[in-house]
């Protein structure tokens, strides 16, 4: 086990020394035991504050796995039912033909409500009532359950409002009660970060332009017409999956209002906290198991598979998690489930091997999961 810790440490030290990354955390569990807890680089490039194991990182859709875990714990306790219409708890959501949408539809991104208003701003996303009211007023893009397409931001609000209606508490509070506190990671696993904790959070940055590229060179500038041809950016009835003013870049991820608000399509977390959560999904961690084996099988096995209407690519999904990881070089076994963030973070578990891997980073490298691939390969060779 000391060997895998050193291998991972050497790998992330190299990434920081080369300039490819600024700050990194890696945590790996195996059969309920933490076997790697490694950090490298700077959490704040300006002050030089170093990354530590308890430095929370804003991690975009890696947080969807946390949101989904809250649902499964509540379902295990009988508080939520995957197949009950959401309108039973949230009557306003049933407008415009959405009365048959269930939590299962939402978890598989099949609800037909992938969009937010096209003019949505970060301030809007930080306003819970405004966001959930907009979703309730939306017209579905397809008959619920007949197709599926990535609900980039709406996913978190729909799930979060269902949780709020069922429990009477905001999802951040429920996360603390049912996941964070039982696992001892309540101060490392957040939706809205308490203002008093903001000083611990890593500062994120966008990846620099390729070396040698001059300003104005590179890919041609995208026009509104070009964006309209991309499923992720198309506008339907005034809604889009990716509002241009609220795309999750570094400026977005460093905003105080974004960090302190419940926007549970993402989360602010440490690698060791989210890894501990996944380890407690697939088995016992220090006497704590979040869900039963039967619940795990239902929640984390493939539920839908095919071409995603929004992403435009083939994908397999379980209930709130992807099956396999978003890169062909990352683990793709049907027993692997988790979520990855657009900035290059990821957390996943393999039910077959008992391996859990989590990677957080503060340099946004959209669509580049090479760090996750590299760490996953080390874990598989050492532990698989």
């Amino acid at each position: 086990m000391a060997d895998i810790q050193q291998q991972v440490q050497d790998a992330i030290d190299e990434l920081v020394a080369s300039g490819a990354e600024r700050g990194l955390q890696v945590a790996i569990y195996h059969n309920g035991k933490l076997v790697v807890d490694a950090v490298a680089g700077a959490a704040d490039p300006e002050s030089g504050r170093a990354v530590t194991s308890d430095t929370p990182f804003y991690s975009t859709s890696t947080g969807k796995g946390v949101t989904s875990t809250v649902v499964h714990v509540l379902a295990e306790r009988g508080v939520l039912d995957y197949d009950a219409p959401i309108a039973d708890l949230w009557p306003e959501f049933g407008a415009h033909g959405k009365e048959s949408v269930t939590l299962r539809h939402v978890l598989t991104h099949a609800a037909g409500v992938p969009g937010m208003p096209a003019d949505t701003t970060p301030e809007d996303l930080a306003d819970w009532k405004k966001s959930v009211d907009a979703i309730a007023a939306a017209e579905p893009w397809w008959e619920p359950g007949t197709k599926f397409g990535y609900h980039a931001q709406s996913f978190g609000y729909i799930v979060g409002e269902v949780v709020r209606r069922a429990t009477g508490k905001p999802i951040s509070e429920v996360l603390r009660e049912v996941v964070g506190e039982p696992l001892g990671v309540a101060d490392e696993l957040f939706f809205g970060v308490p203002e008093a904790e903001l000083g611990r959070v890593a500062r994120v940055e966008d990846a620099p332009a390729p070396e040698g590229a001059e300003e104005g060179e590179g890919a041609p500038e995208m026009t509104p017409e070009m964006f309209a041809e991309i499923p992720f950016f198309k506008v339907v009835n005034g809604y889009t999956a990716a509002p241009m003013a609220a795309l999750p870049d570094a400026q977005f991820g460093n905003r105080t209002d974004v960090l302190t608000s419940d926007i549970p399509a993402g989360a602010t977390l440490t690698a060791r906290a989210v890894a501990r959560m996944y380890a407690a999904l697939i088995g016992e961690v220090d006497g704590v198991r979040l869900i039963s084996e039967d619940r795990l099988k239902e929640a984390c096995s493939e539920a839908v598979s095919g071409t995603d209407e929004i992403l435009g690519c083939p994908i397999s999904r379980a209930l709130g998690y992807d099956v396999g990881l978003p890169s062909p070089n990352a683990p793709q076994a049907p027993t692997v489930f988790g979520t990855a963030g657009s900035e290059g973070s990821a957390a996943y578990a393999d039910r077959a091997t008992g391996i859990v891997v989590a990677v957080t980073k503060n340099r946004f490298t959209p669509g580049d999961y090479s760090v996750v691939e590299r760490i996953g390969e080390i874990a598989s060779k050492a532990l698989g």
Side-chain angles (χ1 to χ4, degrees), residues 59-126:
S59 303
T60 57
S61 289
T62 297
K64 285 185 174 68
V66 181
T67 308
S68 301
T69 297
V70 171
V71 170
H72 298 311
V73 175
L74 293 179
E76 181 83 4
R77 299 180 180 187
V79 177
L80 292 176
D81 180 345
Y82 301 134
D83 297 309
I86 286 173
D88 287 356
L89 284 169
W90 179 10
E92 301 90 335
F93 180 83
H96 304 299
K98 301 194 300 297
E99 66 278 352
S100 66
V101 175
T102 66
L103 195 51
R104 190 183 299 273
H105 289 143
V106 177
L107 292 171
T108 55
H109 297 255
V113 197
M116 302 293 293
D119 60 356
T120 293
T121 64
E123 292 87 349
D124 294 332
L125 293 180

Side-chain angles (χ1 to χ4, degrees), residues 140-363:
W141 292 17
W142 57 79
E143 183 181 344
T146 61
K147 302 177 182 179
F148 67 92
Y150 193 49
H151 289 43
Q153 288 287 7
S154 58
F155 176 93
Y157 292 109
I158 300 172
V159 172
E161 184 65 5
V162 168
V163 168
R164 190 185 74 82
R165 299 270 178 148
T167 66
K169 302 173 183 178
I171 191 170
S172 52
E173 186 176 336
V174 179
L175 170 65
R176 170 176 284 272
E177 291 178 359
V178 305
V179 178
E181 289 176 348
L183 291 175
V185 295
D187 60 348
E188 297 182 23
L189 198 60
F190 303 109
F191 293 126
V193 180
E195 288 195 19
E197 304 291 339
L198 285 175
R200 297 170 46 217
V201 176
R203 297 286 294 177
V204 295
E205 63 181 22
D206 293 315
E211 188 175 349
E214 298 294 332
E215 188 173 350
E217 291 185 357
E221 185 176 349
M222 295 287 287
T223 65
E225 292 77 17
M226 293 166 70
F227 273 113
E229 295 300 315
I230 302 172
F232 195 59
F233 294 102
K234 70 180 178 181
V235 177
V236 178
N237 297 324
Y239 285 66
T240 178
M244 296 300 293
L247 294 178
D249 57 7
Q251 183 179 9
F252 180 90
N254 285 326
R255 291 178 60 118
T256 296
D257 56 352
V258 167
L259 290 170
T260 56
S261 299
D262 283 350
I263 306 177
T268 302
L269 47 81
T270 67
R272 69 181 184 184
V274 71
R276 189 171 178 85
M277 182 199 79
Y278 275 97
L281 282 171
I282 64 172
E284 194 172 287
V285 178
D286 294 332
V288 177
R289 180 157 190 184
L290 293 175
I291 58 176
S292 66
E293 187 64 30
D294 286 345
R295 177 77 54 185
L296 174 70
K297 186 175 181 180
E298 180 177 12
C300 303
S301 298
E302 182 182 289
V304 296
S305 182
T307 299
D308 185 291
E309 294 290 317
I310 302 302
L311 300 179
C313 62
I315 197 166
S316 296
R317 289 202 174 95
L319 299 186
Y321 313 100
D322 292 336
V323 178
L325 268 288
S327 167
N329 298 316
Q332 297 297 324
T335 54
V336 172
F337 70 97
T339 55
S342 58
E343 84 292 353
S345 67
Y348 66 87
D350 188 337
R351 293 180 285 132
T353 64
I355 297 172
V356 173
V357 173
V359 175
T360 58
K361 57 203 289 294
N362 59 352
R363 176 165 288 174

Side-chain angles (χ1 to χ4, degrees), residues 14-47:
E14 178 187 327
L15 287 164
V16 171
S18 71
E21 297 292 342
R22 179 73 71 174
L24 293 158
Q25 289 175 329
V26 175
I28 300 175
Y29 271 77
H30 187 226
N31 294 330
K33 302 295 183 184
L34 181 65
V35 296
V36 173
D37 183 3
V39 301
D44 185 339
E46 292 187 8
S47 71

